[in-house]
Amino acid sequence: GTNSITADDEVWSQPDYGNVSLRGNYDTGNPYAAARDVDHTQTFVQNDIKAWLDNLKAIGYDGWRYDFVHGFSPYYIDMYNSHSSASYSVGEYWTSDKQTIQNWIDASGSTAFDFPTYYALKGAIKDNNYSYLAYQGAASGGIGWDSRNYTTFIENHDTPDYDPSNNILTGNNVGQA
């Protein structure tokens, strides 16, 4: 129902939806204009997600990749992983700021994609300067900070949109990264 969409989602400003009174609670994360912001505070939403994870486990999956995790509280990632006994999970928290990602890792109990290292790799390849990959005697990015909780990330379908002026990883050099 419409109460599975957060009360502050931008859909409510559209003429066809502005008069809908049954809305969810306020968002627990950052808004996302490209899709509806799901209200994870609703028990029925939580139960539906848990049931979906149970179905995936029943057919053999045991780990999860969570998209746009800064769109809702990390508390829910921990809840879903605990419910499903996830063997592994990774969240997409798209930022180059290691501390922001580390705070999310600490709060969620999940690993995260290592976007700080992703940006260092892109810079190293673009400038042919591999010193970018070291920082104070360790690997730069999240992997040098907390290697057990960062998952290497190179490219996916989102990268052309997120960093169009710096798209230097192609089929010719993605293996190099």
Side-chain angles (χ1 to χ4, degrees), residues 52-103:
W52 177 250
L53 295 175
D54 290 342
N55 288 336
L56 290 173
K57 282 198 78 144
I59 60 171
Y61 291 94
D62 62 358
W64 318 124
R65 177 209 183 272
Y66 295 102
D67 197 24
F68 196 77
V69 296
H70 53 95
F72 56 99
S73 170
Y75 167 83
Y76 300 104
I77 297 291
D78 186 48
M79 173 194 293
Y80 301 140
N81 284 343
S82 294
H83 168 81
S84 65
S85 301
S87 65
Y88 175 79
S89 76
V90 61
E92 181 196 60
Y93 200 123
W94 201 295
T95 180
S96 61
D97 181 33
K98 287 185 289 194
Q99 188 61 60
T100 299
I101 297 173
Q102 188 66 49
N103 291 346

Side-chain angles (χ1 to χ4, degrees), residues 12-13 16 31 43 48 63-64 72 74 78 83 106 115 129 132 138-139 149 160 168:
W12 308 122
S13 65
D16 291 341
T43 302
D48 284 350
W64 318 124
F72 56 99
D78 186 48
H83 168 81
D106 293 342
F115 291 112
N129 185 345
Y132 297 170
N149 289 312
I168 57 100

Side-chain angles (χ1 to χ4, degrees), residues 144-167:
W145 199 357
D146 181 12
S147 61
R148 294 176 307 134
N149 289 312
Y150 282 83
T151 300
T152 302
F153 176 89
I154 302 299
E155 291 285 346
N156 74 5
H157 63 278
D158 288 329
T159 52
D161 294 330
Y162 278 97
D163 200 15
S165 63
N166 196 26
N167 271 339

Side-chain angles (χ1 to χ4, degrees), residues 98 120 130-142 144-145:
K98 287 185 289 194
Y130 290 87
S131 69
Y132 297 170
L133 301 178
Y135 180 73
Q136 296 180 349
S140 62
W145 199 357

